[in-house]
Amino acid sequence: MLLLSISANAQNDSIISTPKDSVKVKLKYGLRVGGDISKLVRSFAEKDEYTGFEISADYRIKKRLYIAGEIGTEEKNTVNEVLDITTKGSYLKAGIDYNLYQNWLDMDNMIYSGFRIGASTFSHDLNSFNVYSTNQYWVTQFSSNEKQEFKDLTAFWVEFILGIKAELLNNLYLGLNVQLKMIASETVPDNFGNVYIPGFNKTFDSNGVGVGYSYTLSYRIPLYKKDK
């Protein structure tokens, strides 16, 4: 019995205890603010047809959940065979983003889906228009160059987003997203529809559906960290 006891104690002494992992990874929490690079590039490349500016922001409230929003202004000149119209106004969008990507260790990238409620106030300047007639040969085509203004127009919509954000440097992020938009309500001028709505973009086939995209460069103002 004595030999068995000595043997058991020797075996216990030879077992190496595994230390617990004491490394903790911190998640960054703070306000991330940026701008839409694509609107600035487009304003420079299409300066006679478009000018726009957008500021975006998000704030992490849970490990994968963010409150997010955008605010901006746009001016767009639309010219086709029927209309020459200038639209200008401002917009606000607010909602949430959810990160679908599981980061490794201290990485802080995002592949996310999001939802927004958007609102816009805008005006149209109808510079000229033509009235289309099916009888092109026997009826004189009517046209007008008399400028008309349509003010105090509004639109509301819902928007679904899919995007990515990658951390280039500490707290500096490059992002890309695509947007599917659906009109909830809008003020429509007499005799023609809204061909362009700031923040919503143009509609297709008058069905109240729009699309959009943005390239963003943003910086997170770090406020505090939590254990991952």
Side-chain angles (χ1 to χ4, degrees):
M1 293 293 293
L2 181 60
L3 292 175
L4 291 174
S5 177
I6 294 173
S7 176
N9 289 333
Q11 289 178 2
N12 290 335
D13 292 340
S14 65
I15 296 175
I16 301 175
S17 59
T18 303
K20 293 183 178 180
D21 186 3
S22 61
V23 177
K24 294 182 179 180
V25 177
K26 299 287 188 177
L27 288 178
K28 302 175 185 178
Y29 284 73
L31 179 64
R32 181 162 46 193
V33 181
D36 188 342
I37 305 171
S38 64
K39 283 183 170 54
L40 297 178
V41 172
R42 189 179 174 190
S43 298
F44 178 78
E46 305 175 21
K47 57 184 177 181
D48 295 330
E49 299 177 4
Y50 176 89
T51 56
F53 181 76
E54 179 181 285
I55 296 175
S56 60
D58 67 28
Y59 184 84
R60 176 184 251 151
I61 55 176
K62 296 288 185 180
K63 178 181 177 180
R64 296 195 179 193
L65 187 64
Y66 299 73
I67 55 174
E70 296 81 27
I71 186 171
T73 63
E74 287 187 304
E75 181 173 334
K76 176 72 167 64
N77 185 230
T78 303
V79 180
N80 55 39
E81 65 276 7
V82 178
L83 294 173
D84 180 346
I85 185 171
T86 302
T87 303
K88 52 188 173 182
S90 58
Y91 61 91
L92 174 66
K93 300 188 290 183
I96 59 172
D97 290 335
Y98 183 80
N99 189 8
L100 305 171
Y101 180 68
Q102 178 64 50
N103 282 287
W104 293 4
L105 297 179
D106 59 346
M107 292 174 60
D108 193 26
N109 301 319
M110 292 179 67
I111 299 175
Y112 66 94
S113 61
F115 174 82
R116 300 284 190 278
I117 296 175
S120 177
T121 60
F122 58 100
S123 64
H124 295 308
D125 289 339
L126 182 57
N127 304 312
S128 65
F129 67 93
N130 299 318
V131 177
Y132 179 79
S133 174
T134 56
N135 190 341
Q136 298 288 319
Y137 297 99
W138 305 107
V139 178
T140 302
Q141 303 301 301
F142 178 79
S143 63
S144 173
N145 292 318
E146 182 180 352
K147 185 175 180 179
Q148 300 181 46
E149 296 183 0
F150 301 89
K151 298 182 178 181
D152 301 322
L153 305 175
T154 60
F156 299 90
W157 67 91
V158 293
E159 182 173 310
F160 300 94
I161 300 175
L162 185 64
I164 61 174
K165 288 181 181 177
E167 189 173 22
L168 301 179
L169 301 171
N170 188 30
N171 293 317
L172 183 66
Y173 298 82
L174 181 66
L176 164 66
N177 68 60
V178 292
Q179 309 141 17
L180 176 64
K181 310 161 188 275
M182 289 175 284
I183 281 286
S185 67
E186 61 178 318
T187 308
V188 181
D190 295 333
N191 301 321
F192 70 94
N194 292 313
V195 295
Y196 194 90
I197 298 173
F200 183 89
N201 301 333
K202 63 181 179 180
T203 59
F204 294 91
D205 299 326
S206 300
N207 58 9
V209 176
V211 295
Y213 68 92
S214 68
Y215 292 93
T216 60
L217 186 65
S218 56
Y219 179 79
R220 173 180 283 150
I221 304 169
L223 299 179
Y224 61 95
K225 295 182 179 180
K226 286 185 178 180
D227 291 341
K228 185 174 180 179

